[in-house]
Coordinates of all heavy atoms in Angstrom, one line a residue:
M6 N 6.3 18.1 -1.6 CA 7.4 17.2 -2.0 C 8.6 18.0 -2.5 O 8.4 18.9 -3.3 CB 6.9 16.2 -3.0 CG 7.9 15.1 -3.3 SD 7.1 13.8 -4.3 CE 8.0 12.4 -3.8
S7 N 9.8 17.6 -2.1 CA 11.0 18.4 -2.6 C 11.5 17.8 -3.9 O 11.3 16.6 -4.2 CB 12.0 18.4 -1.5 OG 12.6 17.1 -1.3
D8 N 12.3 18.6 -4.6 CA 13.0 18.1 -5.7 C 14.2 17.3 -5.3 O 14.7 17.4 -4.2 CB 13.5 19.3 -6.5 CG 12.4 20.2 -7.0 OD1 11.3 19.8 -7.3 OD2 12.7 21.4 -7.2
S9 N 14.6 16.4 -6.2 CA 15.8 15.6 -5.9 C 17.0 16.4 -6.0 O 17.0 17.3 -6.8 CB 15.9 14.4 -6.9 OG 14.7 13.7 -7.0
V10 N 18.0 16.1 -5.2 CA 19.3 16.8 -5.3 C 20.1 16.1 -6.4 O 20.2 14.9 -6.3 CB 20.0 16.8 -4.0 CG1 21.4 17.4 -4.1 CG2 19.2 17.6 -3.0
T11 N 20.6 16.9 -7.3 CA 21.4 16.3 -8.4 C 22.9 16.5 -8.0 O 23.3 17.6 -7.6 CB 21.1 17.0 -9.7 OG1 19.7 16.9 -10.0 CG2 21.9 16.5 -10.8
I12 N 23.6 15.4 -8.1 CA 25.1 15.5 -7.9 C 25.7 15.4 -9.2 O 25.5 14.4 -10.0 CB 25.5 14.4 -6.9 CG1 24.8 14.5 -5.6 CG2 27.0 14.6 -6.7 CD1 25.1 13.4 -4.6
D13 N 26.6 16.3 -9.6 CA 27.3 16.3 -10.8 C 28.1 15.1 -11.0 O 28.6 14.5 -10.0 CB 28.2 17.5 -11.0 CG 27.4 18.9 -11.0 OD1 26.2 18.8 -11.3 OD2 28.0 19.9 -10.6
P14 N 28.4 14.6 -12.2 CA 29.2 13.5 -12.4 C 30.6 13.7 -11.8 O 31.1 14.8 -11.8 CB 29.3 13.4 -14.0 CG 28.2 14.2 -14.5 CD 27.9 15.2 -13.5
R15 N 31.1 12.6 -11.3 CA 32.4 12.7 -10.6 C 33.0 11.3 -10.6 O 32.3 10.3 -10.7 CB 32.3 13.2 -9.2 CG 31.5 12.4 -8.3 CD 30.8 13.1 -7.2 NE 30.0 12.3 -6.4 CZ 28.8 11.8 -6.8 NH1 28.2 12.2 -7.9 NH2 28.1 11.0 -6.0
T16 N 34.3 11.2 -10.4 CA 35.0 9.9 -10.2 C 34.8 9.5 -8.8 O 34.9 10.3 -7.8 CB 36.5 10.1 -10.5 OG1 36.6 10.6 -11.8 CG2 37.3 8.8 -10.4
A17 N 34.5 8.2 -8.5 CA 34.4 7.7 -7.2 C 35.7 7.9 -6.4 O 36.8 7.8 -7.0 CB 34.1 6.2 -7.2
P18 N 35.7 8.2 -5.1 CA 36.9 8.5 -4.4 C 37.9 7.4 -4.5 O 39.1 7.7 -4.7 CB 36.4 8.6 -2.9 CG 35.0 8.9 -3.0 CD 34.5 8.3 -4.3
E19 N 37.5 6.2 -4.5 CA 38.4 5.0 -4.6 C 39.1 5.0 -5.9 O 40.2 4.4 -6.0 CB 37.7 3.7 -4.3 CG 37.0 3.6 -2.9 CD 35.7 4.4 -2.9 OE1 35.1 4.8 -3.9 OE2 35.2 4.6 -1.7
A20 N 38.5 5.6 -6.9 CA 39.1 5.5 -8.3 C 39.9 6.7 -8.7 O 40.5 6.8 -9.7 CB 37.9 5.3 -9.3
C21 N 39.9 7.7 -7.8 CA 40.6 9.0 -8.1 C 42.1 8.7 -8.2 O 42.7 8.0 -7.4 CB 40.4 10.0 -7.0 SG 38.7 10.8 -7.1
A22 N 42.7 9.2 -9.3 CA 44.1 9.1 -9.5 C 44.9 10.4 -9.5 O 46.1 10.4 -9.4 CB 44.4 8.4 -10.9
T23 N 44.1 11.5 -9.5 CA 44.7 12.8 -9.5 C 44.0 13.7 -8.5 O 42.8 13.5 -8.2 CB 44.6 13.5 -10.9 OG1 43.3 13.8 -11.2 CG2 45.2 12.6 -12.0
M24 N 44.7 14.8 -8.1 CA 44.0 15.8 -7.2 C 42.9 16.5 -7.9 O 42.0 16.9 -7.3 CB 45.1 16.7 -6.6 CG 45.9 16.2 -5.5 SD 44.9 15.4 -4.2 CE 43.9 16.8 -3.6
A25 N 43.0 16.7 -9.2 CA 42.0 17.3 -10.0 C 40.7 16.5 -9.9 O 39.6 17.1 -9.7 CB 42.4 17.4 -11.5
E26 N 40.8 15.2 -9.9 CA 39.6 14.3 -9.8 C 39.0 14.4 -8.3 O 37.8 14.5 -8.1 CB 39.9 12.9 -10.1 CG 40.2 12.6 -11.6 CD 40.7 11.2 -11.8 OE1 41.4 10.6 -11.0 OE2 40.3 10.7 -12.9
V27 N 39.9 14.5 -7.4 CA 39.5 14.6 -6.0 C 38.7 15.9 -5.8 O 37.6 16.0 -5.3 CB 40.7 14.5 -5.0 CG1 40.3 15.0 -3.6 CG2 41.3 13.1 -5.0
R28 N 39.3 17.0 -6.3 CA 38.7 18.3 -6.2 C 37.4 18.4 -6.9 O 36.4 19.0 -6.4 CB 39.7 19.4 -6.6 CG 40.9 19.5 -5.7 CD 41.9 20.6 -6.1 NE 43.0 20.6 -5.2 CZ 44.2 20.7 -5.5 NH1 44.6 20.7 -6.8 NH2 45.1 20.7 -4.5
Q29 N 37.3 17.8 -8.1 CA 36.1 17.8 -8.9 C 35.0 17.1 -8.0 O 33.8 17.5 -8.0 CB 36.3 17.1 -10.2 CG 35.0 17.0 -11.0 CD 35.1 16.2 -12.3 OE1 36.0 15.4 -12.4 NE2 34.3 16.5 -13.3
G30 N 35.3 16.0 -7.4 CA 34.4 15.2 -6.6 C 33.9 16.0 -5.4 O 32.7 16.1 -5.1
V31 N 34.8 16.7 -4.7 CA 34.5 17.5 -3.5 C 33.6 18.6 -3.9 O 32.6 18.9 -3.3 CB 35.8 18.0 -2.8 CG1 35.5 19.0 -1.8 CG2 36.5 16.8 -2.2
D32 N 34.0 19.3 -5.0 CA 33.2 20.5 -5.5 C 31.8 20.0 -5.9 O 30.8 20.7 -5.6 CB 33.8 21.1 -6.7 CG 35.1 21.9 -6.3 OD1 35.4 22.0 -5.1 OD2 35.9 22.3 -7.2
A33 N 31.6 18.9 -6.5 CA 30.3 18.4 -6.9 C 29.5 18.1 -5.6 O 28.3 18.4 -5.6 CB 30.4 17.1 -7.7
L34 N 30.1 17.5 -4.7 CA 29.4 17.2 -3.4 C 29.0 18.4 -2.7 O 27.9 18.5 -2.1 CB 30.2 16.2 -2.5 CG 30.3 14.8 -3.1 CD1 31.3 14.0 -2.3 CD2 29.0 14.1 -3.2
D35 N 29.9 19.4 -2.7 CA 29.6 20.7 -2.0 C 28.4 21.4 -2.6 O 27.6 21.9 -1.9 CB 30.8 21.6 -2.0 CG 31.9 21.2 -1.0 OD1 31.7 20.4 -0.1 OD2 33.1 21.7 -1.2
R36 N 28.3 21.3 -3.9 CA 27.1 21.9 -4.6 C 25.9 21.2 -4.2 O 24.8 21.9 -3.9 CB 27.3 22.0 -6.1 CG 28.3 23.0 -6.6 CD 28.3 23.1 -8.1 NE 28.8 21.9 -8.8 CZ 30.1 21.6 -9.0 NH1 31.1 22.5 -8.6 NH2 30.5 20.5 -9.6
A37 N 25.9 19.9 -4.1 CA 24.7 19.1 -3.6 C 24.4 19.4 -2.2 O 23.2 19.6 -1.8 CB 25.0 17.7 -3.9
L38 N 25.4 19.5 -1.3 CA 25.2 19.8 0.1 C 24.6 21.2 0.3 O 23.7 21.4 1.1 CB 26.5 19.8 0.9 CG 27.1 18.3 1.1 CD1 28.5 18.4 1.6 CD2 26.2 17.6 2.1
V39 N 25.0 22.2 -0.6 CA 24.4 23.5 -0.5 C 22.8 23.4 -0.8 O 22.0 24.0 -0.1 CB 25.0 24.5 -1.5 CG1 24.2 25.7 -1.7 CG2 26.4 24.8 -1.0
Q40 N 22.5 22.6 -1.8 CA 21.1 22.4 -2.1 C 20.3 21.8 -0.9 O 19.2 22.2 -0.5 CB 20.9 21.5 -3.3 CG 21.3 22.2 -4.6 CD 21.2 21.2 -5.8 OE1 20.2 20.5 -5.9 NE2 22.2 21.1 -6.6
L41 N 20.9 20.8 -0.3 CA 20.3 20.1 0.9 C 20.2 21.0 2.1 O 19.2 21.0 2.8 CB 21.1 18.8 1.2 CG 21.0 17.7 0.2 CD1 22.0 16.6 0.5 CD2 19.5 17.1 0.3
L42 N 21.3 21.8 2.3 CA 21.2 22.7 3.5 C 20.2 23.8 3.2 O 19.6 24.3 4.2 CB 22.6 23.3 3.7 CG 23.6 22.3 4.3 CD1 25.0 22.9 4.3 CD2 23.2 21.8 5.7
A43 N 20.0 24.3 2.0 CA 19.0 25.3 1.7 C 17.6 24.7 2.0 O 16.8 25.4 2.5 CB 19.1 25.7 0.3
E44 N 17.4 23.4 1.7 CA 16.1 22.8 2.0 C 16.0 22.7 3.5 O 14.9 22.9 4.0 CB 16.0 21.4 1.3 CG 14.7 20.8 1.6 CD 14.5 19.5 0.8 OE1 15.3 19.1 0.0 OE2 13.4 18.8 1.1
R45 N 17.0 22.3 4.2 CA 16.9 22.2 5.7 C 16.6 23.6 6.2 O 15.8 23.7 7.2 CB 18.3 21.7 6.2 CG 18.2 21.3 7.7 CD 19.6 20.9 8.2 NE 19.5 20.1 9.4 CZ 19.2 20.5 10.6 NH1 19.0 21.8 10.8 NH2 19.2 19.7 11.7
Q46 N 17.2 24.6 5.7 CA 16.9 26.0 6.2 C 15.4 26.3 6.0 O 14.8 27.0 6.8 CB 17.7 27.0 5.4 CG 17.5 28.4 5.8 CD 18.4 29.4 5.1 OE1 19.6 29.3 5.3 NE2 17.8 30.2 4.3
R47 N 14.8 25.9 4.8 CA 13.4 26.1 4.6 C 12.5 25.4 5.7 O 11.5 25.9 6.0 CB 13.0 25.7 3.2 CG 13.6 26.6 2.1 CD 13.0 26.4 0.8 NE 13.1 25.1 0.2 CZ 14.2 24.6 -0.4 NH1 15.3 25.4 -0.6 NH2 14.3 23.4 -0.9
Y48 N 13.0 24.3 6.2 CA 12.3 23.6 7.3 C 12.4 24.5 8.6 O 11.5 24.5 9.4 CB 12.8 22.2 7.6 CG 12.3 21.2 6.6 CD1 13.1 20.7 5.6 CD2 10.9 20.8 6.7 CE1 12.5 19.8 4.7 CE2 10.4 19.9 5.8 CZ 11.2 19.4 4.8 OH 10.7 18.5 3.9
M49 N 13.5 25.2 8.7 CA 13.6 26.2 9.9 C 12.5 27.3 9.7 O 11.9 27.7 10.7 CB 15.0 26.7 10.0 CG 16.1 25.7 10.3 SD 15.8 24.6 11.7 CE 15.1 23.2 10.9
D50 N 12.4 27.7 8.5 CA 11.3 28.7 8.2 C 10.0 28.2 8.6 O 9.1 28.9 9.2 CB 11.3 29.2 6.7 CG 12.5 30.0 6.4 OD1 13.0 30.9 7.2 OD2 13.1 29.9 5.2
A51 N 9.7 26.9 8.2 CA 8.4 26.3 8.5 C 8.3 26.2 10.1 O 7.2 26.5 10.6 CB 8.3 24.9 7.9
A52 N 9.3 25.8 10.8 CA 9.3 25.7 12.2 C 9.0 27.0 12.8 O 8.1 27.2 13.8 CB 10.6 25.1 12.8
A53 N 9.6 28.1 12.3 CA 9.4 29.4 12.9 C 7.9 29.9 12.6 O 7.3 30.6 13.5 CB 10.3 30.4 12.2
R54 N 7.3 29.4 11.5 CA 5.9 29.7 11.2 C 5.0 29.0 12.2 O 4.0 29.5 12.6 CB 5.7 29.4 9.8 CG 4.2 29.6 9.4 CD 4.0 29.3 7.9 NE 4.7 28.2 7.3 CZ 4.3 26.9 7.4 NH1 3.1 26.6 8.0 NH2 5.0 26.0 6.8
I55 N 5.3 27.7 12.5 CA 4.4 26.8 13.2 C 4.5 27.0 14.7 O 3.5 26.9 15.4 CB 4.7 25.4 12.8 CG1 4.3 25.2 11.3 CG2 4.0 24.4 13.7 CD1 4.9 23.9 10.7
K56 N 5.7 27.2 15.2 CA 5.9 27.2 16.7 C 5.2 28.5 17.2 O 5.4 29.6 16.8 CB 7.4 27.3 17.0 CG 8.1 25.9 16.8 CD 9.5 26.0 17.1 CE 10.2 24.6 16.9 NZ 11.6 24.6 17.1
P57 N 4.4 28.2 18.3 CA 3.6 29.3 18.8 C 4.3 30.3 19.7 O 3.9 31.4 19.9 CB 2.5 28.6 19.6 CG 3.1 27.3 20.0 CD 4.1 27.0 18.9
D58 N 5.4 29.9 20.2 CA 6.1 30.7 21.2 C 7.6 30.6 20.9 O 8.2 29.6 20.7 CB 5.8 30.2 22.6 CG 6.2 31.2 23.7 OD1 5.5 32.1 24.0 OD2 7.4 31.0 24.1
R59 N 8.3 31.8 21.1 CA 9.7 31.8 20.8 C 10.5 30.9 21.8 O 11.6 30.4 21.4 CB 10.2 33.3 21.0 CG 11.6 33.6 20.5 CD 11.9 35.1 20.6 NE 13.0 35.5 19.8 CZ 14.3 35.4 20.2 NH1 14.5 34.9 21.4 NH2 15.2 35.8 19.4
S60 N 10.0 30.7 23.0 CA 10.7 29.9 24.0 C 10.8 28.4 23.6 O 11.6 27.7 24.1 CB 9.9 29.9 25.3 OG 8.7 29.3 25.2
V61 N 10.1 28.0 22.5 CA 10.2 26.6 22.1 C 11.2 26.4 20.9 O 11.3 25.3 20.4 CB 8.8 25.9 21.8 CG1 8.0 25.9 23.1 CG2 8.1 26.6 20.7
V62 N 11.8 27.5 20.5 CA 12.7 27.4 19.3 C 13.9 26.6 19.7 O 14.3 25.7 18.9 CB 13.1 28.8 18.8 CG1 14.2 28.7 17.8 CG2 11.9 29.6 18.2
H63 N 14.5 26.8 20.8 CA 15.6 26.0 21.3 C 15.1 24.9 22.2 O 14.5 25.1 23.2 CB 16.6 26.9 22.1 CG 17.8 26.2 22.5 ND1 17.9 25.4 23.6 CD2 19.0 26.2 21.9 CE1 19.2 24.9 23.6 NE2 19.8 25.3 22.6
D64 N 15.4 23.6 21.7 CA 14.9 22.4 22.4 C 16.0 21.5 22.6 O 16.4 20.7 21.7 CB 13.7 21.9 21.5 CG 13.1 20.6 22.1 OD1 13.6 20.0 23.0 OD2 12.0 20.2 21.6
D65 N 16.5 21.4 23.8 CA 17.7 20.6 24.1 C 17.4 19.1 23.8 O 18.3 18.4 23.3 CB 18.1 20.7 25.6 CG 18.9 22.1 25.8 OD1 19.6 22.5 24.9 OD2 18.7 22.6 26.9
A66 N 16.2 18.6 24.2 CA 15.9 17.2 23.9 C 16.0 16.9 22.4 O 16.5 15.9 22.0 CB 14.6 16.8 24.5
R67 N 15.4 17.8 21.6 CA 15.4 17.6 20.2 C 16.8 17.7 19.6 O 17.2 16.9 18.7 CB 14.5 18.7 19.5 CG 14.6 18.6 18.0 CD 14.0 17.4 17.4 NE 14.1 17.4 15.9 CZ 14.2 16.4 15.1 NH1 14.3 15.2 15.6 NH2 14.3 16.6 13.8
I68 N 17.7 18.5 20.1 CA 19.1 18.6 19.7 C 19.7 17.3 19.9 O 20.4 16.7 19.0 CB 19.8 19.7 20.4 CG1 19.3 21.1 20.0 CG2 21.3 19.6 20.2 CD1 19.8 22.3 20.9
E69 N 19.6 16.7 21.1 CA 20.3 15.4 21.4 C 19.7 14.3 20.6 O 20.4 13.4 20.1 CB 20.2 15.1 22.9 CG 21.0 16.1 23.7 CD 22.4 16.4 23.2 OE1 23.1 15.4 22.9 OE2 22.8 17.5 23.1
D70 N 18.4 14.4 20.3 CA 17.7 13.4 19.4 C 18.3 13.4 18.0 O 18.6 12.4 17.4 CB 16.2 13.6 19.4 CG 15.5 12.6 18.5 OD1 15.6 11.4 18.7 OD2 14.7 13.1 17.6
V71 N 18.5 14.6 17.5 CA 19.0 14.8 16.1 C 20.4 14.3 16.1 O 20.8 13.5 15.2 CB 18.9 16.3 15.6 CG1 19.7 16.5 14.4 CG2 17.5 16.7 15.4
V72 N 21.3 14.7 17.0 CA 22.7 14.2 17.1 C 22.7 12.7 17.2 O 23.5 12.0 16.5 CB 23.5 14.9 18.2 CG1 24.8 14.3 18.4 CG2 23.6 16.4 17.9
S73 N 21.9 12.1 18.0 CA 21.9 10.7 18.2 C 21.5 10.0 16.9 O 22.2 9.0 16.5 CB 20.9 10.3 19.3 OG 20.8 8.9 19.4
K74 N 20.5 10.5 16.2 CA 20.1 9.9 14.9 C 21.2 10.0 13.9 O 21.5 9.1 13.1 CB 18.8 10.5 14.4 CG 17.6 10.1 15.2 CD 16.4 10.9 14.8 CE 15.2 10.6 15.6 NZ 14.1 11.4 15.3
V75 N 21.9 11.2 13.8 CA 23.0 11.4 12.9 C 24.1 10.4 13.2 O 24.7 9.8 12.3 CB 23.5 12.8 13.0 CG1 24.8 13.0 12.3 CG2 22.5 13.8 12.3
L76 N 24.5 10.3 14.5 CA 25.6 9.3 14.8 C 25.2 7.9 14.5 O 26.1 7.1 14.0 CB 25.9 9.5 16.3 CG 26.6 10.8 16.6 CD1 26.8 10.9 18.1 CD2 28.0 11.0 15.9
A77 N 24.0 7.5 14.6 CA 23.5 6.2 14.3 C 23.6 6.0 12.8 O 23.9 4.9 12.3 CB 22.1 5.9 14.7
A78 N 23.3 7.0 12.0 CA 23.4 6.9 10.5 C 24.9 7.0 10.0 O 25.2 6.5 9.0 CB 22.6 7.9 9.9
A79 N 25.7 7.7 10.8 CA 27.1 8.0 10.3 C 27.9 6.7 10.2 O 28.6 6.5 9.2 CB 27.8 8.9 11.3
G80 N 27.8 5.8 11.2 CA 28.6 4.6 11.2 C 28.4 3.8 9.9 O 29.3 3.5 9.2
P81 N 27.1 3.4 9.7 CA 26.9 2.6 8.5 C 27.2 3.3 7.2 O 27.6 2.6 6.2 CB 25.4 2.3 8.6 CG 25.0 2.4 10.0 CD 25.9 3.5 10.5
A82 N 27.2 4.6 7.2 CA 27.5 5.3 6.0 C 29.0 5.5 5.8 O 29.5 5.9 4.7 CB 26.9 6.7 6.0
G83 N 29.8 5.2 6.8 CA 31.2 5.3 6.8 C 31.7 6.7 7.1 O 32.8 7.1 6.8
L84 N 30.9 7.5 7.8 CA 31.2 8.8 8.2 C 31.8 8.8 9.7 O 31.1 8.3 10.6 CB 30.0 9.8 8.1 CG 30.3 11.2 8.6 CD1 31.3 11.9 7.8 CD2 28.9 12.0 8.6
S85 N 32.9 9.3 9.9 CA 33.5 9.3 11.2 C 32.7 10.1 12.2 O 32.3 11.3 11.9 CB 34.9 10.0 11.1 OG 35.4 10.3 12.4
P86 N 32.4 9.6 13.4 CA 31.7 10.4 14.4 C 32.4 11.6 14.8 O 31.8 12.6 15.2 CB 31.5 9.4 15.6 CG 32.0 8.1 15.1 CD 32.7 8.2 13.8
A87 N 33.8 11.6 14.6 CA 34.6 12.8 14.9 C 34.3 13.9 13.9 O 34.6 15.1 14.2 CB 36.1 12.4 14.9
I88 N 33.8 13.6 12.8 CA 33.3 14.6 11.8 C 31.9 14.9 12.0 O 31.4 16.1 12.1 CB 33.6 14.2 10.4 CG1 35.1 14.1 10.1 CG2 32.9 15.1 9.4 CD1 35.5 13.5 8.8
A89 N 31.1 13.8 12.1 CA 29.6 14.0 12.1 C 29.1 14.8 13.3 O 28.3 15.8 13.1 CB 28.9 12.6 12.1
E90 N 29.6 14.5 14.5 CA 29.0 15.2 15.7 C 29.3 16.7 15.7 O 28.4 17.5 15.8 CB 29.4 14.5 17.0 CG 28.7 15.2 18.2 CD 28.8 14.4 19.5 OE1 29.4 13.3 19.5 OE2 28.3 14.9 20.5
P91 N 30.5 17.1 15.6 CA 30.8 18.6 15.6 C 30.1 19.3 14.4 O 29.7 20.4 14.6 CB 32.3 18.7 15.6 CG 32.8 17.4 15.2 CD 31.8 16.4 15.5
V92 N 30.1 18.7 13.3 CA 29.4 19.3 12.1 C 28.0 19.5 12.4 O 27.4 20.6 12.2 CB 29.7 18.5 10.8 CG1 28.8 19.0 9.7 CG2 31.1 18.6 10.4
W93 N 27.3 18.5 12.9 CA 25.8 18.6 13.1 C 25.6 19.5 14.3 O 24.6 20.3 14.3 CB 25.2 17.2 13.3 CG 24.4 16.9 12.0 CD1 23.1 17.2 11.7 CD2 25.0 16.3 10.8 NE1 22.8 16.8 10.5 CE2 24.0 16.3 9.9 CE3 26.3 15.9 10.5 CZ2 24.1 15.7 8.6 CZ3 26.4 15.3 9.2 CH2 25.4 15.3 8.3
R94 N 26.4 19.5 15.3 CA 26.1 20.4 16.5 C 26.3 21.9 16.0 O 25.5 22.7 16.4 CB 27.1 20.1 17.6 CG 26.6 18.8 18.3 CD 27.3 18.7 19.7 NE 26.9 17.4 20.3 CZ 25.8 17.2 21.0 NH1 24.9 18.2 21.2 NH2 25.5 16.0 21.5
T95 N 27.3 22.1 15.1 CA 27.4 23.5 14.6 C 26.2 23.8 13.7 O 25.7 24.9 13.8 CB 28.7 23.6 13.8 OG1 29.8 23.4 14.7 CG2 28.9 25.0 13.2
L96 N 25.8 22.9 12.8 CA 24.7 23.1 12.0 C 23.4 23.4 12.8 O 22.7 24.3 12.5 CB 24.5 21.8 11.1 CG 23.3 21.8 10.2 CD1 23.3 23.0 9.2 CD2 23.1 20.5 9.5
I97 N 23.2 22.6 13.8 CA 22.0 22.8 14.6 C 22.1 24.2 15.3 O 21.1 24.9 15.3 CB 21.9 21.7 15.7 CG1 21.6 20.3 15.0 CG2 20.9 22.0 16.8 CD1 21.8 19.1 15.9
D98 N 23.2 24.5 15.8 CA 23.4 25.8 16.5 C 23.0 27.0 15.5 O 22.3 27.9 15.8 CB 24.8 26.0 17.0 CG 25.0 27.3 17.6 OD1 24.5 27.6 18.7 OD2 25.8 28.1 17.0
R99 N 23.6 26.9 14.3 CA 23.3 28.0 13.3 C 21.9 27.9 12.8 O 21.3 29.0 12.6 CB 24.3 27.8 12.1 CG 25.8 28.0 12.4 CD 26.2 29.4 12.9 NE 25.8 29.7 14.2 CZ 25.2 30.8 14.6 NH1 25.1 31.8 13.8 NH2 24.9 31.0 15.9
C100 N 21.3 26.7 12.7 CA 19.9 26.7 12.3 C 19.0 27.2 13.4 O 18.0 27.9 13.1 CB 19.5 25.2 12.0 SG 20.1 24.6 10.4
I101 N 19.3 27.0 14.7 CA 18.5 27.6 15.8 C 18.6 29.1 15.7 O 17.6 29.8 15.9 CB 18.9 27.0 17.1 CG1 18.5 25.5 17.2 CG2 18.4 27.8 18.3 CD1 19.1 24.8 18.4
A102 N 19.8 29.6 15.5 CA 20.0 31.1 15.4 C 19.1 31.6 14.3 O 18.5 32.7 14.4 CB 21.5 31.4 15.3
Y103 N 19.2 30.9 13.1 CA 18.4 31.3 12.0 C 16.9 31.3 12.3 O 16.1 32.2 11.9 CB 18.7 30.4 10.8 CG 17.8 30.8 9.6 CD1 18.2 31.8 8.7 CD2 16.6 30.1 9.3 CE1 17.4 32.1 7.6 CE2 15.8 30.4 8.3 CZ 16.2 31.4 7.4 OH 15.4 31.7 6.3
E104 N 16.5 30.2 13.0 CA 15.1 30.1 13.3 C 14.6 31.2 14.3 O 13.5 31.7 14.1 CB 14.8 28.7 13.9 CG 13.3 28.4 14.1 CD 13.0 27.1 14.7 OE1 13.8 26.1 14.6 OE2 12.0 27.0 15.4
F105 N 15.4 31.6 15.2 CA 15.1 32.7 16.1 C 14.9 34.0 15.2 O 13.9 34.7 15.4 CB 16.2 33.0 17.1 CG 16.1 32.2 18.4 CD1 17.1 31.4 18.8 CD2 14.9 32.3 19.2 CE1 17.0 30.7 20.0 CE2 14.8 31.6 20.4 CZ 15.9 30.8 20.8
E106 N 15.8 34.2 14.3 CA 15.6 35.4 13.4 C 14.3 35.3 12.6 O 13.6 36.3 12.5 CB 16.8 35.5 12.5 CG 18.1 35.9 13.3 CD 19.3 35.8 12.4 OE1 19.2 35.5 11.2 OE2 20.4 35.9 12.9
A107 N 14.1 34.1 12.1 CA 12.9 33.9 11.3 C 11.6 34.1 12.1 O 10.6 34.7 11.7 CB 12.9 32.5 10.6
W108 N 11.6 33.6 13.3 CA 10.5 33.7 14.2 C 10.2 35.1 14.5 O 9.1 35.6 14.5 CB 10.8 32.9 15.5 CG 9.5 32.6 16.3 CD1 8.8 31.5 16.3 CD2 8.9 33.5 17.3 NE1 7.7 31.6 17.1 CE2 7.8 32.8 17.7 CE3 9.1 34.7 17.7 CZ2 6.9 33.3 18.7 CZ3 8.3 35.3 18.7 CH2 7.2 34.6 19.1
D109 N 11.3 35.9 14.8 CA 11.1 37.3 15.1 C 10.6 38.1 13.9 O 9.8 39.0 14.0 CB 12.5 37.9 15.6 CG 12.9 37.4 17.0 OD1 12.0 36.8 17.7 OD2 14.1 37.5 17.3
R110 N 11.2 37.8 12.7 CA 10.7 38.5 11.5 C 9.2 38.3 11.2 O 8.5 39.2 10.8 CB 11.5 38.0 10.3 CG 12.8 38.7 10.0 CD 13.4 38.3 8.6 NE 13.4 36.9 8.3 CZ 14.3 36.1 8.6 NH1 15.4 36.5 9.3 NH2 14.2 34.8 8.2
R111 N 8.8 37.1 11.5 CA 7.3 36.8 11.2 C 6.4 37.5 12.2 O 5.3 37.7 11.9 CB 7.1 35.3 11.4 CG 7.7 34.4 10.3 CD 7.3 33.0 10.3 NE 5.9 32.9 10.1 CZ 5.3 32.9 8.9 NH1 6.1 33.1 7.8 NH2 4.0 32.7 8.7
R112 N 6.9 37.9 13.3 CA 6.1 38.5 14.3 C 6.4 40.0 14.5 O 5.9 40.6 15.4 CB 6.2 37.8 15.6 CG 5.4 36.4 15.5 CD 6.0 35.3 16.3 NE 5.3 34.1 16.1 CZ 5.7 33.2 15.2 NH1 6.7 33.4 14.4 NH2 5.0 32.0 15.1
A113 N 7.3 40.6 13.7 CA 7.6 42.0 13.9 C 6.5 42.9 13.4 O 5.7 42.6 12.6 CB 8.9 42.3 13.1

């Protein structure tokens, strides 16, 4: 079980009256996102450990499944698909590259 991600106190976006408040909120969220991305990366380490063959690291069907799920969650959360899709496609691409490296390291 993973630890909860803590997000530092911040003013809600709708209540921000200054750029300092906006920046404080963005910085707080960025710190939380780093924690979440680090956990996601640890799942790539687990995948590299579990997958029996390097050829299964890149899985086009899984990529499209992940993007589809993200886009389905984006709308209700108020996240623009124009942000969500390219961000997740880049994230997936970098995670696959990381997983290839992790897979190779484990078998070197």
